[in-house]
Amino acid sequence: MPQTVLGVIYFIAFSHALMLAISLWRKTKLTNITTAKWLALVCLIISYKLFEAGALYLGLYPHLAHFMDLLPGEVLLIGPLVFIYVSLVVGEEKPKTYQLILHFIPAISLWCYNAPSVFQSLDAKVTMWQFVLSQTEARVIPLKFILLFLAIKTHLSLYLFLSWQHIQKFEKVCNALRADNSKAVLKQLTFLVVSLFLLELVWVGLFIGQQFFEIGTLALVSDIWLLFIAVIILAIGYIALQKTDLLMSKEEHALIQQNYSENKDESSNIKYFHSALSEQQSNQVAKHLEQQIKAKQLYLNDKLTLTTLAHETDIKAHTLSQVINQSMQTNFYRLINGYRIQHAISLIDNPSIHWPLERIAFESGFANRVTFSKAFKEIMGQTASEYKKQRQQAG
């Protein structure tokens, strides 16, 4: 692919990444939840890398050389930032200052090692980038640099693996704790982390092929990695902007940490060791729970979770989960959305109400149309649009 075309692609991706970083940062201010700021920093770092590549291939580096090569080893920053973001999403405590320093020691060390090149003169930087552009043939670099590059990629891969583990633990029990689209967002976040991990494996394969078998050039390896990053940045935007305030509460986190079991199916991921509830008591609690949900119309709260429901009904969260799963033979997601769908049906059936489905979804306790549509089809066996059309035809 011609360098000019690559430069244009990189600059377009750079603008998207920069706008995404700004949007995420601003949205955290609106929601007053700062979790996504860590993801905004990831986007900012990626945008800088794309800016460098765009400036290089479009021949702008002689004018922008002082703004390039300021962040050597940026990959060492991406891993810890993604991991911290995921950790906060699943309810971990915010890292203390010394913990943050430990996470970023490799990045700081590499930056200090490369400091002389960061602060070199403009002419020296221009010469360096001219040399990079002139490398059109396979080139073998010293072994110590090969090991350094592989160590950097291993560092990122380990952080991505740990992030994946964190997401999986919450995703498997999400429907037992939430009645919104949190599980779908977590699945997309899983896809993002796995995509980044696979991209690192591809890079390592290409790099080894280039260095030991003279397949392609270092520039080709870098370009393939950057092109995939340009695609991934769009995926980050799609995922992150859907639910920037996704955050697992400390109570939810504690509940999973105490009772999580990988060997159980979805409805029984939360275990009930040493339960003192008899079957009769469990049925009584279930009856009380249903009365409270209906009387207070708690299902109309689009932010209702298992732990907030426990506070509203004065039932311990662990007991509440046991009753829902064992006595009521369902999970929190299906229970609450069942009430919401019944409320939505009553609105659709009401001849004096002519609201669009979007408003009916919001009035029934759903935070968005996607969750409403999914829940409606799961419970009623048809979409809300189909049901509404049938009712209108029958009328």
Side-chain angles (χ1 to χ4, degrees), residues 195-207:
S195 297
L196 284 169
F197 183 80
L198 292 177
L199 177 58
E200 294 312 299
L201 289 182
V202 169
W203 185 94
V204 169
L206 291 172
F207 180 71

Side-chain angles (χ1 to χ4, degrees), residues 2-296:
Q3 289 185 346
T4 303
V5 175
L6 280 174
V8 172
I9 292 173
Y10 291 148
F11 257 120
I12 292 172
F14 155 68
S15 65
H16 279 286
L18 184 60
M19 287 189 292
L20 176 57
I22 294 171
S23 297
L24 286 171
W25 198 276
R26 292 184 65 185
K27 273 184 170 289
T28 56
K29 289 185 177 180
L30 295 174
T31 59
N32 204 30
I33 297 176
T34 61
T35 311
K37 284 186 177 180
W38 298 96
L39 198 57
L41 291 173
V42 173
C43 295
L44 195 61
I45 291 168
I46 291 175
S47 72
Y48 179 74
K49 188 65 180 176
L50 292 166
F51 159 77
E52 279 188 334
L56 180 65
Y57 285 147
L58 288 177
L60 300 175
Y61 64 91
H63 312 288
L64 300 172
H66 271 317
F67 300 100
M68 298 170 65
D69 199 34
L70 299 178
L71 203 61
E74 66 283 334
V75 173
L76 291 173
L77 295 171
I78 293 175
L81 288 172
V82 170
F83 176 72
I84 292 169
Y85 167 69
V86 169
S87 298
L88 292 175
V89 164
V90 299
E92 297 279 358
E93 292 287 343
K94 182 180 178 181
K96 295 180 173 58
T97 303
Y98 78 90
Q99 292 173 322
L100 286 176
I101 293 172
L102 289 174
H103 279 302
F104 295 109
I105 279 179
I108 295 170
S109 301
L110 186 62
W111 190 91
C112 292
Y113 177 79
N114 284 277
S117 66
V118 172
F119 295 109
Q120 62 185 334
S121 67
L122 179 64
D123 291 340
K125 282 194 172 186
V126 171
T127 301
M128 178 189 72
W129 289 113
Q130 286 174 337
F131 175 76
V132 171
L133 279 176
S134 68
Q135 298 301 302
T136 57
E137 298 180 357
R139 181 168 66 95
V140 178
I141 60 177
L143 181 60
K144 66 176 182 179
F145 290 114
I146 292 176
L147 295 176
L148 175 61
F149 289 148
L150 292 178
I152 289 173
K153 293 300 181 178
T154 301
H155 175 272
L156 174 56
S157 298
L158 286 173
Y159 271 105
L160 291 174
F161 176 73
L162 292 173
S163 300
W164 174 81
Q165 280 191 319
H166 272 53
I167 299 169
Q168 287 296 294
K169 181 175 285 190
F170 186 29
E171 183 189 329
K172 288 182 179 179
V173 296
C174 198
N175 282 352
L177 300 169
R178 300 250 174 132
D180 56 13
N181 68 330
S182 294
K183 185 171 183 177
V185 175
L186 285 171
K187 278 190 174 182
Q188 293 163 354
L189 191 56
T190 299
F191 174 78
L192 174 63
V193 170
V194 171
S195 297
L196 284 169
F197 183 80
L198 292 177
L199 177 58
E200 294 312 299
L201 289 182
V202 169
W203 185 94
V204 169
L206 291 172
F207 180 71
I208 291 174
Q210 194 279 321
Q211 287 296 301
F212 295 100
F213 303 100
E214 297 185 356
I215 301 173
T217 64
L218 284 174
L220 177 64
V221 175
S222 177
D223 286 337
I224 291 174
W225 187 84
L226 276 173
L227 284 170
F228 276 103
I229 281 291
V231 174
I232 286 174
I233 199 69
L234 296 177
I236 292 176
Y238 175 75
I239 295 168
L241 294 178
Q242 285 188 83
K243 198 172 178 67
T244 55
D245 58 343
L246 175 60
L247 186 66
M248 182 180 167
S249 70
K250 299 298 183 289
E251 290 176 290
E252 289 173 312
H253 179 73
L255 192 61
I256 292 176
Q257 289 296 101
Q258 292 169 8
N259 304 300
Y260 176 78
S261 171
E262 293 185 43
N263 299 320
K264 298 292 182 178
D265 59 26
E266 180 185 271
S267 63
S268 60
N269 269 330
I270 296 181
K271 298 162 68 178
Y272 312 107
F273 294 127
H274 312 302
S275 174
L277 275 183
S278 64
E279 184 177 352
Q280 182 180 3
Q281 289 173 319
S282 182
N283 291 334
Q284 288 175 346
V285 174
K287 186 176 180 181
H288 171 71
L289 174 62
E290 288 183 321
Q291 290 173 343
Q292 290 287 300
I293 292 174
K294 291 177 182 177
K296 297 180 180 179

